[in-house]
Amino acid sequence: MAYHKKDDKKEKKMIIAAGLVIAVVLAVAGTQMSVGGREYAKKVKLLKARGYEVDETVAWGEIDEYEEAVTERFKDAVRIERREITEWIEFYGIFRDSLSAPVYDYSIHDSVHCSEDEYVIWFSVVYLRGSSQGRFITYYIFPDG
């Protein structure tokens, strides 16, 4: 009878250990899920605090239609490009440079946009100087990675 008690204790320890591992894994996964959008919210708040106009009306899923409308507006004189930026400092630097650039010389088009659905921030620049085909470049960043 003592033999069975020993096995029961061992089995209980294994169940407790397995339960502890599962609990830790679920806790870490839950923490990661709840963090989604935290950096995004900080960056949008930062842009608004610095006085920039942040447009939340164009969803990231509608970016193709937005770029198509730009192409029509410029009568197919621009080549559409998208560039993902992974570092906030680089993104913000390009954004600041585009604000002070001469018109149509990599200057900002419209305003900075954000989409809460995908946690993405983006802006577009236009270049139409000295070439037969200009460029319309959309820079975007996913602050949460």
Side-chain angles (χ1 to χ4, degrees), residues 61-120:
E62 299 170 359
I63 189 73
D64 292 327
E65 292 86 11
Y66 176 77
E67 290 173 339
E68 190 175 306
V70 167
T71 304
E72 290 174 14
R73 178 175 173 225
F74 287 106
K75 298 180 175 56
D76 294 323
V78 292
R79 184 175 64 243
I80 303 292
E81 299 176 34
R82 288 188 201 160
R83 293 189 184 159
E84 181 175 9
I85 308 294
T86 56
E87 297 295 324
W88 176 255
I89 293 172
E90 181 183 2
F91 180 84
Y92 188 68
I94 296 169
F95 174 67
R96 296 256 336 251
D97 290 346
S98 71
L99 291 173
S100 60
V103 176
Y104 298 129
D105 193 7
Y106 296 107
S107 60
I108 192 162
H109 177 267
D110 203 5
S111 63
V112 64
H113 297 268
C114 66
S115 178
E116 195 171 292
D117 296 338
E118 292 88 4
Y119 302 124
V120 62

Side-chain angles (χ1 to χ4, degrees), residues 20-31:
L20 182 61
V21 168
I22 291 171
V24 168
V25 168
L26 290 175
V28 170
T31 303

